[in-house]
Every structure is written in structure tokens, then in C-alpha cells.
Amino acid sequence: MTTSPPPPRRFRLIRFAQLLLILATLALSVASFVDMPRFGHEARSLSYGVAIGSGLICVSRAVLVRGERTPWALLGAGLISYGCGTIYHNVAVDGRGDDIQPSLADLAWLLFYPACYVAVILLLRRRLVRLHRSVWLDAFVGLLGVAALTSGIGVAMARANPEHSAWTMTVNVIYPLADLLLILLVVTVFGLLGWRPGRVWWLLGAGLVSFALADSLLLVIVTAGHTPSNGVLSSLWLLSVLMPALASWLRPRWQPPAKMSGWGVIAVPLVLATVALGLLVLGAAIDLPAVTVALAAATVLSALARAAFTFIEVQQLAESRVLARTDDLTGLANRRGFIERLTRAEQRTTGPDTFALLLLDLDRFKEINDSLGHQVGDALLTQVGTRISDALRPGDLHARLGGDEFAVLLEHADADAARRVADRVLTVLADPFDVGGVTLHVGASIGAAVYPDHAQDAHTLLQRADVAMYAAKSGRTGVESYRPGADVNSLVRLDMIESLRAALGTGQLEVHYQVKVDLGSGRTESVEALVRWRHPTRGLLGPEEFVPLAEQAGFMRMLTIEVLHTALDQCRRWHAAGLEVAVAVNLSASDLLDRGFPAQVSGMLAGFGLSPAVLELEITETTLMLDRVRSATVLGELRALGIGIAVDDYGTGYSSLARLLELPVNVLKLDKSFIQRVADDSRAEAIVRSTVGLAHALDLRIVVEGVETAAAVRMLREVGCDLAQGYFLGEPGPSELVTEQLRRQAALAGTIDLETATREMATRETTTQETTTQETTTQETTTQETTTQETTTQETTTQETTTREAVGLATPREAGAREAARDPVADRGARRTGGRAPTREGGVRNTPVAPGSTPAGSPWR
């Protein structure tokens, strides 16, 4: 059990002083009711000291405790001034016989009131969210109202009592009016803070109200010519001056901040403005002093100014309510306004009526915002918001929820109507955006959900539209409607994103390599780096399972740097071992928008001691469409360093001959979809031939991907293709496997005898076809046919193995076994009918991509 340390000595002294003050107050209160011999004069003397003692305790609170020092110092000074004034009055004035004449005691007493007013306002200020400037105008209205009422009553009383001057009566009238104002101020405080203001305010408020009542009662008794009794009046006065001493040292409990609203805000100015207006009306019937009329008129005018100020505040409040529900960048509704409207739509929708919700997220916006700056990003968001609004129906609510996320509320709409509106939105966003002279292309993914078909409340509907939006983003379908059960996939996606974020920089990401072979010399010139993720629980994952998630989450740049660092480090190892090969790394869209990327690449090359010529950076055509000018600038700086630039997946994106003239590239990579259709479609062969000729005419080297048969190699050699890459020449594998392959080729004079390989492969294919034909026409038993086919298959496999070993390539069985040992989830290299194998090179795309629909910004196939 732990015990708190004892309070400091000075605090114990304060508690002791408070206890003495309480005992003195109780004793004096009892003495005021009981006639005690020889105690009357001493009791009166001690009662004066209670006010001074209470004031000193308040001042000590201001000196010893931080926070709220000024109000407690003012209140303490006011109590001390009041006590000193009472002592002076009893010593110097009480014996003169005319207590109603003003004296220095009145000055000391009257100083207590403004000190009290300011202290209360300052203490109230700490509890309010914001103290409006109108409070000080209210104080001015109160001051003028009290002055007008005081002057009017004082003059009236002076006329009724001609033996006293107007000044004397005015000073005596100030007291009840000041007490009335003090009561109104306390009532206002409780009106603002409610009926749970806290212990400090209960004690302080009770003390101030008791003081005002006791002081007013005393004035009434004295004015009536009676002698004030010691009983109730003395006890009430003693308790009133004791309360501030107790309240000042109470530890205030936390209370929620209050707002300046309700009747308490206008209580004081309303009462005094009404009094001033009554004085003006009364002045028409009786003769009031000019000063009273002037003060009353000033009070009314001040109240009118207060009303005008209130009107401005109400107008500003209305504008603030609108701004609180409006996005300041686009002028659309913000999340708060949209949620309120969505909730109202839910409440109004009854029966068979439905409404739809569209949730839209821009693709690749983070890359633009990070690379080109927030100013360009904000301008782009403004244009996007305008275009979306143009595609909507009249009455549809369009909102920006935050970042690059927009929402559309379609009232009286079903799933079909939502789909039509979403298609129109995608159409208007397809055109390029001109932002400050920069041409940008952005896509969007839209998720749709319908109430009450997909959700029974507004918040769930928003959540399910979000699930559908991420499904559209993952599948690159543009628009998706919510499907039951998709929430599970969304949770898996979020878990994968967080796991990938944690995997960066921890060694979980591996880089595999695939060789590129010079078809003229048969020499392996370079390798392409292909990223893999060795997941702690799911095994080795291909890039198609996590690269799209990195794009969505916005850490593609980190992934690029890690792959580039690993690939350059491996390239340095190969060069140290005497294997002179270059390495190719794919870039993302965010890399091409970063003006600092060339310097970063140059620093990495220098750090590994490599020449820029050993590095080749591959980009897709669609990646270049994000910002043509900036992309061309970054590529130009990379090319000036001596780094090779290759256009990847040529023919599947926004193919443009003009773009080839603008870009500083030196290699063209023809997409694998063309070479894989050569055997079945003569037009594909024509495209390959024409593309090779075009590349050479533009002084570019050309690489063909997806080479999987000897026939493809033979055709490419005939048309003069420079480089080839594919399963026939080498499957992707870890650095150890590729290093062994490179060493084996180096032992065979460093080249691959492609002529022999293709000739033997062609002979093997012809022999296989003849054998198959003979076996088909021979009428033998089923067992004999099966035995012959197995023998033929074994002979074919033996021939292929002998051919690939002769040219220094890993055999399919050997490569598959090694890959399977490291990659439990990879395919096992099963071949399709006709000798064509399913390609895994690239593997970053989610599905095979048709020409003209290649997604932008997807590196590492």
C-alpha cells in the first residue's frame, strides 16, 4: 500500500488559517445572537478582521498557486479594501453622527465591486470555449445602465430629502444597484455553466449573492432610520466574506468546457436596457436630470449596438455551420455534411424506395501529390471534383470525404442507375487534366452500394461501398458493386498491406533473375530483376499478389529502392566473380515523377562501384502517360548518366510512334503476347517483323519477351531481333541458380550455340510428329500403344535434356526441382499442348493483359 506524501508546510499553514477563519466566523455569528458581557465591542472588531483575513487567503492563493492568479488576486484585494474601509468608517466616521455623508470609507467599499466583476468574468473565461468580444460590450451596457439608474434615483431621493445633497444620495444609491448588478452577474454565470458549475462556483456564487443581499438590507435599514441589528445581518455578512476564502483553495474538478449560449448571455444587458428604456419613458412624464436621460439614451444605444453585434455573430455562426459541412478546397460537401445528408436519406426512405452510394478513389494520386507537390495535387482535386459534378444528375449530392476520396449520394436510385452514373464519371475522368501546364492522366475506382439491399443503416452502407471500391481497385475493373462476403477479402487485403509494410527492409523480399540472350552471338548480356515476397505464413508469393497492394498503399517507391539496391549488390558480386552481365530493374510511376530519383540512383551506383552502363531501367508506356513532360525530364537525366532505358510491354499500352521520338530510350521490349501467338496467327508474326524493323530504323535495340519454343528463336533470328527472353532460354530463379547457369555458359566459351539448339529442337519436333503419326495408324493393342507413347516421351525428354545441357541451360527437371525447393507455391513448369509453356516471366499483373488495357505503374513483371 502506498501513501501520498504530506502537503508542503505552506499549504498546511493555509489550511490552519482557513480553520481559524471558520472558527472565528462561527464564534462571531453566535455572539451576534447572544448578548455576551464585555464581548460586543471585541466582536465588532474581530468581524472586521474576517474580511481582511479572507482577502489575504485569496491573495496567497494567487501568489502560491499557478493558474488563475489575476482573478483571485483581484478578489482578495477587493475584500481587503472592503475590510479596511469598514475599519476606517468605525474609527473616523462612526462618531460624527451623520453616517450617510460620503467619505474615504465609501471609496474603499466601492472598489470592491469592480474588483469582483472583473474577477468573476476572468474565472468564467477559463470555463468557456471562447469568450466572445460581446461580453465586454455587455459590461459597458451594464455600466451605463447602472449609472443612469443611479443618477435618476439619487436625484429623486435628493429632491425628497433636501437636507442631503444630490451627490450624497447618488453615492448611497450606488450600493444597491451595484449589489443588483453583482447578483445578475452571478445568475448569468450559472446560466452559462448550468446547474453543475462545480464546488468553487457554488461557494463563490453563494458568497457574492449573500454579500449583495446583506449590503442591500443594511442600506434599507439605515435609510429607514433604524439601527441595524447584529443577528441575521451580521451572520449573513460574515458567511459571505468567508466563502471566497474557502473557494480559492479548493482543487477544481475537471468540467467540460461550456459555450456562450442560452439566456444567460443576454440576462444583464437585457435587464439594464429595459431599465434605461423605462427611464426614457419616465422622463417624458416627470422632470429627470439631463445626465440621467443622457445615460439612459447611451444605454439604449449600446444595447442596440449589442443587438447588431449579436446579429453579426448569428450570421457568422450560420456561415460557420455551412463551412463546417463544406470542403474548403473543392467547395463540395465534406464528410460531416455528407454523413448528415446520408442519415436523413436513410430516415426518409420508406417502402420500396432505394438510394445508392458511390465511393470513388483516384488511382496514383499519391504519386502525383508526393512528386509534384501539394499545390499541383490540390489543383488536380479541384478539377476532378468539377468533372464529377458535371456527370451527376440534378439533385445528387457530391462530397469530398478527404484526400483523394469522393462520394456521391444518388437518391431514388437502384443498382442499375448507380452503374450508369459511375460509368459517366469514369468517362469524364478519362480525358487528360491540364494542371499548371502539366498534362496528367488519372484513373479512378468506384464502389457502389444500395440501401437497403446491401445495408440496413447509413454507416454500414458507407463501409460496404468502401469494400466494393477496393474490389474495383484490386481488380482494375473501374466499377464494382458490393457483393456479400467481400468484407472478408477486404480484411485479408488490409492484413496483407500491413504485413508488406512491415516486410520492407527486413529481408523478406527476394529478387529472382531471368537471363536475356543476344540472338546474334548467343551470349547472355543481362538479367532482369523480378521481385518475390517470402511471406512468413503463406510461403513465396509472386509479385502479382502484393505489388498492386503496394501501389494502393503508397509505398511503391520504397519497394523500388529495395529491389534496386538488392539487384545492384548482386550485380557487383557477379562482376567480382568475372561474370560481366548487366541488370534490368522495373520502375514505377512514382519514380518517374521524382526529380531526385536520378541523383539517388547515381549515388547507389557509386556506392557499389558500378558503371552506369551495367544498369537498365524498364518502364511501361502507360506509366509514362501520368506526366509526359516530367517523366521525359527524369528519363533524360537518367540517360545522361549512361543508364539504359527500355520501354517495357511495348504494344499493349498507349503505343505512339511520336512518343518514341520524344523519349530518351535505347531499348524496346515487345510484349510476350505477340510472340506467343505467332504459331497460330500470321498477323502476330507480321507485327513482330514490323516492330523489329521499326526499332532498328529508330536506332533502338529490341528485346522480345515470352520466347518458349525453338521455332520462336528461329523466327526471331531470321527477322534480326537483338535479344530474347523466355522459358526456353532460362526460367526466373534466385541468384544462386542464375549464377550457376552463367558459370556453365562461361565454361562453354561464354556463348549459347543457338544454331545447334534450334536445329536439334526442330529435328526433335519433326521426329516426334512422325512417330506420333505412325503410332496413330498402327493397329496394336492398347498396352502396346501406351508403351510406345511412353517410350517416345522418354526419348523426347532425353533429347531435349541433352540439347539444353549442350548449350549450358538448366534442364526443365533440374530447374523445376530447384525452383520447387525454394518456391512451394510456384507452378511446376507444366507445358501446354504444342510445345508452348505457360509463361511466368513477369508475373506482376493480376491477369493476362489484352492490348490497349495494360495498367499503368506496375513494375517487376
Side-chain angles (χ1 to χ4, degrees):
M1 180 176 179
T2 60
T3 58
S4 58
R9 181 180 179 183
R10 56 185 179 182
F11 293 145
R12 294 199 299 269
L13 292 176
I14 294 296
R15 297 303 183 194
F16 181 71
Q18 287 179 326
L19 180 60
L20 289 179
L21 199 62
I22 293 173
L23 294 176
T25 301
L26 292 177
L28 292 173
S29 297
V30 172
S32 64
F33 286 98
V34 179
D35 188 13
M36 301 178 65
R38 295 180 300 176
F39 196 70
H41 184 72
E42 289 80 358
R44 291 185 60 188
S45 302
L46 288 174
S47 64
Y48 309 147
V50 171
I52 297 176
S54 178
L56 291 175
I57 291 178
C58 291
V59 172
S60 66
R61 159 66 173 80
V63 173
L64 299 177
V65 180
R66 294 181 179 180
E68 299 181 341
R69 287 181 168 177
T70 302
W72 290 114
L74 286 173
L75 188 58
L79 288 170
I80 294 174
S81 176
Y82 197 91
C84 292
T86 305
I87 294 175
Y88 174 81
H89 181 271
N90 288 320
V91 171
V93 180
D94 197 13
R96 294 188 313 189
D98 190 5
D99 294 343
I100 199 173
Q101 293 293 328
S103 66
L104 291 177
D106 292 284
L107 178 61
W109 289 336
L110 291 176
L111 287 177
F112 168 77
Y113 292 100
C116 251
Y117 300 150
V118 176
V120 169
I121 292 175
L122 292 178
L123 288 174
L124 177 64
R125 184 178 184 179
R126 298 293 300 270
R127 284 287 307 275
L128 294 176
V129 175
R130 184 168 67 92
L131 188 65
H132 296 281
R133 290 174 295 178
S134 58
V135 171
W136 305 110
L137 187 57
D138 292 340
F140 185 65
V141 172
L143 180 63
L144 290 175
V146 169
L149 191 60
T150 300
S151 63
I153 296 177
V155 171
M157 293 182 65
R159 291 174 179 174
N161 299 276
E163 67 275 11
H164 299 294
S165 65
W167 167 248
T168 300
M169 299 308 301
T170 299
V171 170
N172 284 273
V173 168
I174 288 178
Y175 290 103
L177 296 180
D179 292 331
L180 175 63
L181 185 60
L182 187 59
I183 293 174
L184 288 176
L185 187 60
V186 172
V187 172
T188 299
V189 170
F190 276 76
L192 292 174
L193 300 182
W195 295 108
R196 292 184 179 179
R199 297 177 300 169
V200 174
W201 278 107
W202 276 115
L203 288 174
L204 186 59
L208 295 179
V209 171
S210 299
F211 182 90
L213 292 177
D215 195 65
S216 300
L217 183 61
L218 176 63
L219 182 64
V220 171
I221 293 175
V222 172
T223 305
H226 300 290
T227 302
S229 62
N230 291 329
V232 176
L233 187 62
S234 297
S235 300
L236 188 62
W237 187 82
L238 287 169
L239 290 175
S240 67
V241 296
L242 173 66
M243 295 298 181
L246 300 179
S248 61
W249 281 91
L250 279 178
R251 183 184 298 275
R253 297 176 180 176
W254 182 87
Q255 296 287 338
K259 298 180 180 179
M260 287 197 61
S261 60
W263 57 268
V265 179
I266 60 173
V268 173
L270 182 62
V271 171
L272 294 177
T274 303
V275 170
L277 188 60
L279 288 175
L280 291 178
V281 174
L282 185 64
I286 63 175
D287 184 20
L288 288 178
V291 64
T292 302
V293 174
L295 290 173
T299 303
V300 173
L301 291 177
S302 300
L304 291 176
R306 173 65 173 87
F309 195 82
T310 303
F311 174 77
I312 295 174
E313 286 183 338
V314 171
Q315 189 177 27
Q316 291 176 347
L317 179 62
E319 293 177 356
S320 298
R321 289 176 60 87
V322 174
L323 292 176
R325 292 159 178 80
T326 303
D327 178 53
D328 55 353
L329 177 63
T330 61
L332 304 172
N334 61 8
R335 179 178 288 272
R336 174 192 243 176
F338 185 80
I339 294 297
E340 290 180 357
R341 177 77 175 271
L342 185 64
T343 304
R344 290 198 299 268
E346 175 194 353
Q347 296 170 352
R348 291 196 303 263
T349 302
T350 57
D353 194 14
T354 62
F355 66 87
L357 172 63
L358 300 180
L359 201 62
L360 180 147
D361 187 82
L362 299 182
D363 298 332
R364 301 182 301 277
F365 173 76
K366 189 176 188 305
E367 298 168 353
I368 297 174
N369 201 49
D370 293 345
S371 302
L372 302 183
H374 294 286
Q375 184 175 1
V376 173
D378 292 346
L380 177 61
L381 289 175
T382 303
Q383 293 190 28
V384 168
T386 302
R387 288 198 188 181
I388 295 176
S389 298
D390 293 340
L392 302 182
R393 310 174 307 176
D396 293 339
L397 176 64
H398 179 203
R400 176 177 174 243
L401 301 186
D404 60 336
E405 193 174 48
F406 295 83
V408 177
L409 177 61
L410 307 173
E411 298 194 45
H412 312 293
D414 55 10
D416 293 335
R419 182 77 187 206
R420 289 193 297 270
V421 174
D423 289 338
R424 288 203 304 269
V425 171
L426 291 179
T427 300
V428 299
L429 294 179
D431 295 332
F433 292 85
D434 185 4
V435 182
V438 178
T439 301
L440 300 173
H441 288 79
V442 293
S445 300
I446 302 178
V450 179
Y451 175 89
D453 299 343
H454 296 150
Q456 298 299 318
D457 60 86
H459 290 279
T460 305
L461 186 71
L462 184 63
Q463 177 186 358
R464 292 183 171 173
D466 185 68
V467 171
M469 183 268 292
Y470 275 106
K473 186 177 288 289
S474 299
R476 300 182 183 275
T477 56
V479 182
E480 285 288 343
S481 296
Y482 174 76
R483 294 188 302 274
D487 308 68
V488 178
N489 295 331
S490 179
L491 293 176
V492 172
R493 176 184 57 81
L494 291 175
D495 180 68
M496 284 287 288
I497 289 177
E498 292 305 317
S499 298
L500 179 59
R501 191 191 305 273
L504 292 172
T506 62
Q508 294 185 28
L509 295 180
E510 300 179 3
V511 178
H512 289 196
Y513 303 90
Q514 187 176 31
V515 298
K516 299 179 185 178
V517 178
D518 188 324
L519 294 180
S521 64
R523 185 170 175 236
T524 299
E525 285 197 351
S526 62
V527 296
E528 181 179 3
L530 307 169
V531 69
R532 303 287 189 265
W533 178 16
R534 192 165 295 279
H535 194 278
T537 59
R538 300 179 60 184
L540 191 65
L541 303 180
E544 70 278 0
E545 299 190 52
F546 62 90
V547 169
L549 299 179
E551 293 177 352
Q552 297 170 19
F555 44 84
M556 274 297 299
R557 180 68 191 285
M558 300 168 60
L559 187 58
T560 301
I561 296 301
E562 183 164 344
V563 172
L564 186 60
H565 184 277
T566 303
L568 290 178
D569 183 45
Q570 182 59 48
C571 185
R572 176 186 61 81
R573 297 174 185 269
W574 282 329
H575 282 234
L579 302 174
E580 300 293 333
V581 293
V583 63
V585 177
N586 291 267
L587 296 186
S588 65
S590 59
D591 301 320
L592 295 184
L593 296 177
D594 186 3
R595 295 296 300 273
F597 182 67
Q600 191 171 9
V601 174
S602 177
M604 293 177 68
L605 287 169
F608 287 111
L610 295 174
S611 168
V614 304
L615 177 62
E616 184 179 280
L617 299 176
E618 297 185 1
I619 55 175
T620 61
E621 295 173 279
T622 47
T623 299
L624 296 171
M625 296 302 294
L626 196 60
D627 182 357
R628 298 182 180 182
V629 177
R630 197 178 187 92
S631 299
T633 302
V634 173
L635 289 176
E637 294 178 3
L638 291 170
R639 191 73 186 92
L641 294 173
I643 298 171
I645 305 295
V647 176
D648 198 5
D649 297 334
Y650 181 76
T652 60
Y654 299 91
S655 300
S656 172
L657 301 179
R659 293 293 293 144
L660 293 179
L661 295 176
E662 298 172 3
L663 296 175
V665 301
N666 59 329
V667 177
L668 207 62
K669 292 190 69 174
L670 185 64
D671 187 71
K672 58 181 176 290
S673 59
F674 298 102
I675 193 64
Q676 290 175 353
R677 287 186 287 182
V678 165
D680 304 324
D681 192 344
S682 60
R683 296 176 300 175
E685 182 177 349
I687 291 176
V688 173
R689 292 179 179 272
S690 61
T691 304
V692 172
L694 174 64
H696 290 165
L698 296 176
D699 197 23
L700 301 176
R701 302 188 74 193
I702 184 165
V703 182
V704 176
E705 302 176 289
V707 178
E708 300 175 357
T709 64
V713 175
R714 185 169 55 252
M715 190 273 288
L716 292 175
R717 284 172 57 86
E718 292 174 357
V719 300
C721 179
D722 299 305
L723 300 168
Q725 178 180 351
Y727 267 35
F728 179 76
L729 301 172
E731 299 181 7
S735 59
E736 297 85 357
L737 182 64
V738 176
T739 301
E740 183 179 347
Q741 182 178 342
L742 294 174
R743 290 183 185 278
R744 190 160 51 243
Q745 293 176 14
L748 297 174
T751 62
I752 298 176
D753 189 356
L754 294 174
E755 188 66 35
T756 301
T758 54
R759 183 170 58 251
E760 293 183 2
M761 188 64 72
T763 302
R764 179 184 57 79
E765 291 174 352
T766 303
T767 303
T768 302
Q769 293 175 359
E770 292 175 354
T771 304
T772 304
T773 303
Q774 292 173 2
E775 291 169 352
T776 303
T777 58
T778 303
Q779 300 298 322
E780 296 181 355
T781 63
T782 304
T783 304
Q784 292 174 337
E785 291 177 354
T786 304
T787 303
T788 303
Q789 291 174 0
E790 290 176 351
T791 303
T792 303
T793 303
Q794 292 174 0
E795 292 174 353
T796 302
T797 303
T798 302
Q799 293 174 4
E800 180 181 358
T801 301
T802 303
T803 301
R804 295 176 67 91
E805 287 178 343
V807 298
L809 297 176
T811 64
R813 181 176 301 174
E814 178 186 2
R818 289 172 179 162
E819 183 71 13
R822 296 180 57 85
D823 189 353
V825 299
D827 62 272
R828 303 311 179 199
R831 303 297 182 183
R832 294 179 298 181
T833 304
R836 297 176 62 188
T839 180
R840 281 184 4 202
E841 69 172 324
V844 71
R845 310 303 191 256
N846 292 329
T847 57
V849 181
S853 63
T854 301
S858 298
W860 306 305
R861 297 165 321 211

